[in-house]
Amino acid sequence: MQKMFLKKIIFNISLSLKLQNINIRYYCSNKILESAEEKPIYLEEIKDNSKLEEKRNKSRLSFADRNRLFEQKPYNEPIEWYHNTIKYKKRILGRYGMAALGIPAGLAWPTPEEVEEQKEYEKIAFPLSIQERLKKIKEEKKKKEDILKARQAQIANKMLGMEKLIAQIKTKIAEKKAAELEAKERKERKIEEIRRQLIAEGTISKHSLTEAITLAEKDEKKKKKELKKTKMLERQKRLAERLIQAQQQNENLEAENKNETDSKK
């Protein structure tokens, strides 16, 4: 047992020494230290972090889109032709600030020619001054208020006669229902009369009853049509009489005017 234990200790010591030698070879240079004060020169590992950064970018966004997401300037160097234009640089200045622009912010100010052009545009587009425009807006607002007040007064006046109008409508509806009920009762009486007549004649049947009802309805429609025609003729006659009377009155007036003019002469 003691021999086995000693062998195990010796094996562990030799293994630890080998590992120390490997670590020293990996982290230290081949230069042998000459004194205790001299510091070892460690080998600097050159690591490429580009792949690591790609792995960190889980969104898989492009460089420009990622910068936009974090509210940064999309491109550090101009890529397209319009990246060198003043309009684009003004936009960058407005969105991302002066640090993102990288040049003096004076380019955002308009040139004297642009100022004059803007003045001419404002003279044509807005000929009125601020005071005149404010006065015009107030007048238009007052006009709209007056129209609204007049409309509200008109509605109020109409609402006063609303009860009377509602009563008239209800009366018309009641009259219409009464007329429909009367027509229905008249039809039922007519059918009952036809049925009794057929029973008295001894020719009662479903077919004969249907024919008799159809014939009676046709006669009733014919009577209504004739009545409507007579009413229309009477209306036309009255209208013609009115026209004749109006024409006679006009002729009389013309004759009187003519007589007056002749008498004056």
Side-chain angles (χ1 to χ4, degrees), residues 189-216:
R189 287 197 300 270
K190 188 72 175 176
I191 291 169
E192 185 65 23
E193 185 180 349
I194 292 167
R195 191 176 67 80
R196 288 179 181 178
Q197 187 177 356
L198 291 173
I199 289 170
E201 292 175 358
T203 57
I204 184 68
S205 66
K206 187 176 181 180
H207 181 67
S208 60
L209 183 63
T210 306
E211 284 184 354
I213 291 168
T214 305
L215 186 62

Side-chain angles (χ1 to χ4, degrees), residues 23 61 84 115 152 189 260:
N23 291 331
L61 292 173
N84 291 320
V115 172
Q152 288 176 351
R189 287 197 300 270
E260 287 179 358

